[in-house]
Amino acid sequence: MAGTVVQWLRIPALVSGSVAVIASSLLYFKQNELIYPRNIPPGSRVDDPRFQPSQFGISICTHLHLPTPDGETLSTYFIRPTNAARARHITVLMFHGNAGNIAHRLPIAKVLADSMGLDVVMLEYRGYGLSTGTPDEKGLNVDAQTGLDWIRNHDELGRSRIVVYGQSLGGAVAVQLVAKNQRAGDIGGLVLENTFLSIRKMIPAAFPPARYLAPLCHQIWSSEETIPLVKDMPVLFLSGLRDEIVPPSHMKQLYNLCRVDTKIWKDFPNGDHNSSVGEAGYFEAFAEFIREQVVSKK
Protein backbone atom coordinates (compact mmCIF):
# COMPACT_ATOMS: atom_id res chain seq x y z
CA MET A 1 0.00 0.00 0.00
CA ALA A 2 2.86 2.41 0.76
CA GLY A 3 4.09 2.06 -2.83
CA THR A 4 0.65 2.94 -4.16
CA VAL A 5 0.52 6.02 -1.95
CA VAL A 6 3.85 7.27 -3.30
CA GLN A 7 2.78 6.68 -6.90
CA TRP A 8 -0.31 8.83 -6.59
CA LEU A 9 1.38 11.53 -4.53
CA ARG A 10 3.93 12.19 -7.27
CA ILE A 11 1.57 14.78 -8.83
CA PRO A 12 1.60 17.26 -5.93
CA ALA A 13 5.27 16.38 -5.37
CA LEU A 14 6.13 17.93 -8.72
CA VAL A 15 4.79 21.23 -7.48
CA SER A 16 7.39 21.96 -4.83
CA GLY A 17 10.40 22.21 -7.11
CA SER A 18 8.69 24.19 -9.86
CA VAL A 19 7.26 26.71 -7.42
CA ALA A 20 10.66 27.22 -5.79
CA VAL A 21 12.24 28.18 -9.12
CA ILE A 22 9.91 31.11 -9.77
CA ALA A 23 9.15 32.08 -6.20
CA SER A 24 12.14 34.17 -5.23
CA SER A 25 11.44 37.26 -7.33
CA LEU A 26 7.70 37.14 -6.75
CA LEU A 27 7.56 36.51 -3.00
CA TYR A 28 6.90 40.05 -1.94
CA PHE A 29 4.27 40.83 -4.61
CA LYS A 30 2.50 37.48 -4.84
CA GLN A 31 2.76 36.01 -1.36
CA ASN A 32 -0.58 34.26 -1.23
CA GLU A 33 -0.24 32.77 -4.70
CA LEU A 34 3.15 31.31 -3.79
CA ILE A 35 2.34 30.13 -0.29
CA TYR A 36 -1.00 28.67 -1.37
CA PRO A 37 -0.49 27.35 -4.95
CA ARG A 38 -3.99 25.90 -5.12
CA ASN A 39 -4.06 25.76 -8.93
CA ILE A 40 -1.06 23.44 -9.13
CA PRO A 41 -0.92 20.81 -10.50
CA PRO A 42 -3.26 21.66 -13.41
CA GLY A 43 -6.77 20.42 -12.77
CA SER A 44 -6.59 20.91 -8.99
CA ARG A 45 -9.65 23.18 -9.02
CA VAL A 46 -11.97 20.82 -10.90
CA ASP A 47 -13.68 17.53 -10.14
CA ASP A 48 -11.08 15.29 -11.81
CA PRO A 49 -12.47 11.82 -12.68
CA ARG A 50 -8.98 10.35 -12.10
CA PHE A 51 -9.13 11.27 -8.44
CA GLN A 52 -12.38 9.92 -7.08
CA PRO A 53 -12.80 7.83 -3.91
CA SER A 54 -13.99 4.84 -5.96
CA GLN A 55 -10.76 4.92 -7.98
CA PHE A 56 -8.88 4.03 -4.81
CA GLY A 57 -11.24 1.37 -3.53
CA ILE A 58 -12.98 3.66 -1.05
CA SER A 59 -16.57 2.51 -0.85
CA ILE A 60 -17.97 4.43 2.14
CA CYS A 61 -17.44 8.11 1.43
CA THR A 62 -19.69 11.13 1.74
CA HIS A 63 -18.82 14.34 -0.11
CA LEU A 64 -19.76 17.18 2.21
CA HIS A 65 -19.97 20.93 1.63
CA LEU A 66 -19.39 22.57 5.01
CA PRO A 67 -20.44 26.21 5.47
CA THR A 68 -18.03 28.45 7.35
CA PRO A 69 -19.12 31.29 9.66
CA ASP A 70 -17.78 33.83 7.15
CA GLY A 71 -19.75 32.55 4.18
CA GLU A 72 -17.44 30.10 2.39
CA THR A 73 -18.20 26.47 1.52
CA LEU A 74 -15.59 23.78 2.13
CA SER A 75 -15.44 20.62 0.04
CA THR A 76 -14.85 17.77 2.47
CA TYR A 77 -14.66 13.98 2.31
CA PHE A 78 -16.01 11.90 5.18
CA ILE A 79 -14.60 8.38 4.82
CA ARG A 80 -15.52 5.39 7.00
CA PRO A 81 -13.90 1.96 7.41
CA THR A 82 -15.24 -0.65 5.01
CA ASN A 83 -15.29 -3.24 7.78
CA ALA A 84 -17.44 -1.77 10.54
CA ALA A 85 -16.31 -4.51 12.92
CA ARG A 86 -12.80 -3.04 12.84
CA ALA A 87 -13.89 0.53 13.53
CA ARG A 88 -12.09 2.05 16.51
CA HIS A 89 -14.44 5.02 17.08
CA ILE A 90 -11.56 7.40 16.46
CA THR A 91 -11.87 10.24 13.95
CA VAL A 92 -8.89 11.66 12.07
CA LEU A 93 -9.26 15.29 11.01
CA MET A 94 -6.79 15.59 8.14
CA PHE A 95 -5.18 18.80 6.85
CA HIS A 96 -3.28 18.69 3.55
CA GLY A 97 -0.21 20.56 2.33
CA ASN A 98 -0.16 23.76 0.32
CA ALA A 99 -0.55 22.30 -3.18
CA GLY A 100 -3.09 20.03 -4.84
CA ASN A 101 -6.33 19.11 -3.14
CA ILE A 102 -7.87 16.48 -0.86
CA ALA A 103 -8.48 14.07 -3.72
CA HIS A 104 -4.73 13.75 -4.23
CA ARG A 105 -4.48 12.41 -0.65
CA LEU A 106 -7.21 9.79 -0.95
CA PRO A 107 -4.70 6.87 -0.88
CA ILE A 108 -3.63 8.02 2.60
CA ALA A 109 -7.22 8.13 3.81
CA LYS A 110 -7.77 4.64 2.39
CA VAL A 111 -4.99 3.26 4.60
CA LEU A 112 -6.22 5.11 7.69
CA ALA A 113 -9.80 3.93 7.21
CA ASP A 114 -9.45 0.36 6.01
CA SER A 115 -6.14 -0.71 7.54
CA MET A 116 -6.52 1.09 10.87
CA GLY A 117 -10.30 1.27 11.28
CA LEU A 118 -10.42 5.05 11.59
CA ASP A 119 -13.05 7.52 10.43
CA VAL A 120 -11.39 10.20 8.30
CA VAL A 121 -12.54 13.75 7.66
CA MET A 122 -10.51 15.32 4.82
CA LEU A 123 -11.11 19.05 4.84
CA GLU A 124 -10.27 21.16 1.80
CA TYR A 125 -9.23 24.71 2.59
CA ARG A 126 -10.99 27.70 1.11
CA GLY A 127 -9.81 28.37 -2.44
CA TYR A 128 -8.61 24.80 -2.91
CA GLY A 129 -10.26 22.12 -4.99
CA LEU A 130 -14.01 22.63 -5.02
CA SER A 131 -14.06 24.94 -1.97
CA THR A 132 -15.01 28.58 -2.40
CA GLY A 133 -13.01 31.61 -1.38
CA THR A 134 -9.37 32.67 -1.29
CA PRO A 135 -6.85 31.18 1.15
CA ASP A 136 -4.99 33.11 3.80
CA GLU A 137 -3.87 32.38 7.36
CA LYS A 138 -6.94 33.81 9.05
CA GLY A 139 -9.30 32.01 6.69
CA LEU A 140 -7.60 28.62 7.00
CA ASN A 141 -7.88 28.83 10.78
CA VAL A 142 -11.61 29.44 10.37
CA ASP A 143 -11.79 26.44 8.04
CA ALA A 144 -10.00 24.18 10.51
CA GLN A 145 -12.37 25.19 13.30
CA THR A 146 -15.32 24.55 11.00
CA GLY A 147 -14.13 21.00 10.39
CA LEU A 148 -13.60 20.30 14.07
CA ASP A 149 -16.99 21.78 14.99
CA TRP A 150 -18.67 19.57 12.39
CA ILE A 151 -17.13 16.48 13.98
CA ARG A 152 -18.12 17.62 17.46
CA ASN A 153 -21.72 18.20 16.39
CA HIS A 154 -22.05 14.94 14.47
CA ASP A 155 -24.41 12.47 16.19
CA GLU A 156 -21.87 9.64 16.15
CA LEU A 157 -18.46 11.23 15.62
CA GLY A 158 -19.11 13.68 18.43
CA ARG A 159 -18.62 10.78 20.85
CA SER A 160 -15.35 9.64 19.27
CA ARG A 161 -11.75 10.54 20.10
CA ILE A 162 -10.29 12.98 17.59
CA VAL A 163 -6.78 12.84 16.15
CA VAL A 164 -5.65 15.94 14.24
CA TYR A 165 -3.22 15.10 11.42
CA GLY A 166 -1.38 17.72 9.38
CA GLN A 167 1.14 17.49 6.55
CA SER A 168 3.46 20.42 5.79
CA LEU A 169 1.24 23.54 5.84
CA GLY A 170 -1.44 21.30 7.31
CA GLY A 171 0.82 20.74 10.30
CA ALA A 172 0.80 24.46 11.04
CA VAL A 173 -3.00 24.48 10.71
CA ALA A 174 -3.20 21.49 13.05
CA VAL A 175 -0.98 23.04 15.73
CA GLN A 176 -3.05 26.22 15.80
CA LEU A 177 -6.31 24.30 16.02
CA VAL A 178 -5.18 21.94 18.76
CA ALA A 179 -3.70 24.69 20.92
CA LYS A 180 -7.01 26.54 20.76
CA ASN A 181 -9.27 23.54 21.39
CA GLN A 182 -7.38 21.17 23.68
CA ARG A 183 -9.23 22.06 26.86
CA ALA A 184 -12.44 20.42 25.63
CA GLY A 185 -10.78 17.04 26.16
CA ASP A 186 -12.01 15.35 22.98
CA ILE A 187 -8.75 15.63 21.01
CA GLY A 188 -6.78 12.49 21.73
CA GLY A 189 -3.65 13.12 19.66
CA LEU A 190 -1.74 15.28 17.20
CA VAL A 191 0.26 13.96 14.22
CA LEU A 192 2.66 16.26 12.36
CA GLU A 193 4.53 15.49 9.15
CA ASN A 194 7.27 17.66 7.59
CA THR A 195 6.02 20.96 8.94
CA PHE A 196 7.92 24.16 9.64
CA LEU A 197 8.77 26.55 12.47
CA SER A 198 7.16 29.47 10.62
CA ILE A 199 6.75 30.66 7.04
CA ARG A 200 9.31 33.40 7.62
CA LYS A 201 11.92 30.93 8.81
CA MET A 202 11.19 28.55 5.96
CA ILE A 203 11.70 31.14 3.21
CA PRO A 204 15.54 31.20 3.35
CA ALA A 205 15.61 27.43 2.74
CA ALA A 206 12.78 27.19 0.21
CA PHE A 207 13.51 30.44 -1.69
CA PRO A 208 17.14 31.44 -0.86
CA PRO A 209 17.37 34.62 -2.98
CA ALA A 210 14.28 35.95 -1.20
CA ARG A 211 15.64 35.48 2.30
CA TYR A 212 15.91 39.24 2.87
CA LEU A 213 12.22 39.62 2.13
CA ALA A 214 11.18 37.11 4.79
CA PRO A 215 10.36 39.78 7.42
CA LEU A 216 7.85 41.27 4.98
CA CYS A 217 5.87 38.04 4.71
CA HIS A 218 2.39 38.61 6.13
CA GLN A 219 1.49 34.91 6.29
CA ILE A 220 3.19 33.88 9.54
CA TRP A 221 2.08 30.43 10.71
CA SER A 222 4.40 30.49 13.72
CA SER A 223 4.19 26.91 14.98
CA GLU A 224 7.33 27.46 17.04
CA GLU A 225 5.40 29.90 19.22
CA THR A 226 2.23 27.83 19.37
CA ILE A 227 3.40 24.26 19.90
CA PRO A 228 4.67 24.91 23.46
CA LEU A 229 1.04 25.71 24.32
CA VAL A 230 -0.05 22.16 23.42
CA LYS A 231 0.08 20.24 26.69
CA ASP A 232 -2.76 17.77 27.09
CA MET A 233 -2.19 15.07 24.44
CA PRO A 234 0.42 12.82 22.81
CA VAL A 235 2.15 14.12 19.69
CA LEU A 236 3.71 12.09 16.86
CA PHE A 237 6.40 13.72 14.69
CA LEU A 238 7.00 12.14 11.25
CA SER A 239 10.08 13.62 9.59
CA GLY A 240 11.61 12.99 6.17
CA LEU A 241 15.35 13.61 6.51
CA ARG A 242 15.71 14.40 2.79
CA ASP A 243 13.01 17.05 2.81
CA GLU A 244 14.05 19.52 0.13
CA ILE A 245 11.44 22.17 1.02
CA VAL A 246 11.17 22.29 4.82
CA PRO A 247 14.55 21.76 6.52
CA PRO A 248 14.32 18.64 8.72
CA SER A 249 15.85 20.75 11.48
CA HIS A 250 12.50 22.59 11.70
CA MET A 251 10.74 19.38 12.70
CA LYS A 252 13.43 18.57 15.24
CA GLN A 253 13.15 22.02 16.78
CA LEU A 254 9.38 21.70 16.99
CA TYR A 255 9.87 18.36 18.74
CA ASN A 256 12.22 20.00 21.23
CA LEU A 257 9.84 22.90 21.80
CA CYS A 258 6.88 20.59 22.38
CA ARG A 259 6.12 20.26 26.12
CA VAL A 260 3.67 17.37 26.21
CA ASP A 261 4.36 14.37 28.44
CA THR A 262 4.34 11.95 25.50
CA LYS A 263 6.01 12.95 22.26
CA ILE A 264 7.22 10.42 19.72
CA TRP A 265 9.83 10.98 17.01
CA LYS A 266 9.97 8.90 13.84
CA ASP A 267 12.27 9.85 11.00
CA PHE A 268 12.68 8.47 7.49
CA PRO A 269 16.26 8.70 6.13
CA ASN A 270 15.11 8.59 2.49
CA GLY A 271 11.90 10.56 2.86
CA ASP A 272 11.62 13.87 1.00
CA HIS A 273 8.93 16.48 1.44
CA ASN A 274 6.17 14.60 -0.35
CA SER A 275 7.31 10.98 -0.33
CA SER A 276 7.79 10.44 3.42
CA VAL A 277 4.27 9.06 3.62
CA GLY A 278 5.35 6.19 1.35
CA GLU A 279 8.46 5.26 3.30
CA ALA A 280 8.67 1.93 5.11
CA GLY A 281 7.42 2.28 8.65
CA TYR A 282 5.32 5.40 8.15
CA PHE A 283 1.91 3.83 8.56
CA GLU A 284 3.24 1.38 11.11
CA ALA A 285 4.33 4.33 13.26
CA PHE A 286 0.93 5.96 12.78
CA ALA A 287 -0.91 2.74 13.69
CA GLU A 288 1.25 2.20 16.77
CA PHE A 289 0.55 5.76 17.89
CA ILE A 290 -3.18 5.21 17.52
CA ARG A 291 -3.06 1.87 19.32
CA GLU A 292 -0.80 2.79 22.21
CA GLN A 293 -1.45 6.49 22.74
CA VAL A 294 -5.06 7.03 21.69
CA VAL A 295 -6.98 3.75 22.00
CA SER A 296 -5.34 2.85 25.28
CA LYS A 297 -6.23 6.23 26.77
CA LYS A 298 -9.91 6.25 25.80
Side-chain angles (χ1 to χ4, degrees), residues 17 23 32 67 74 94 102 121 125 143 150 158 175 192 232 256 294:
N32 278 40
L74 308 179
M94 184 174 172
I102 55 173
V121 176
Y125 314 129
D143 299 344
W150 182 83
V175 170
L192 302 175
D232 300 328
N256 292 333
V294 183

Side-chain angles (χ1 to χ4, degrees), residues 35-49:
I35 294 170
Y36 311 107
R38 59 263 190 204
N39 296 306
I40 306 173
S44 292
R45 297 302 312 279
V46 300
D47 193 12
D48 192 331

Side-chain angles (χ1 to χ4, degrees), residues 45 72-76 124-133:
R45 297 302 312 279
E72 303 301 345
T73 301
L74 308 179
S75 175
T76 302
E124 196 157 62
Y125 314 129
R126 63 185 61 204
Y128 280 80
L130 302 179
S131 296
T132 65

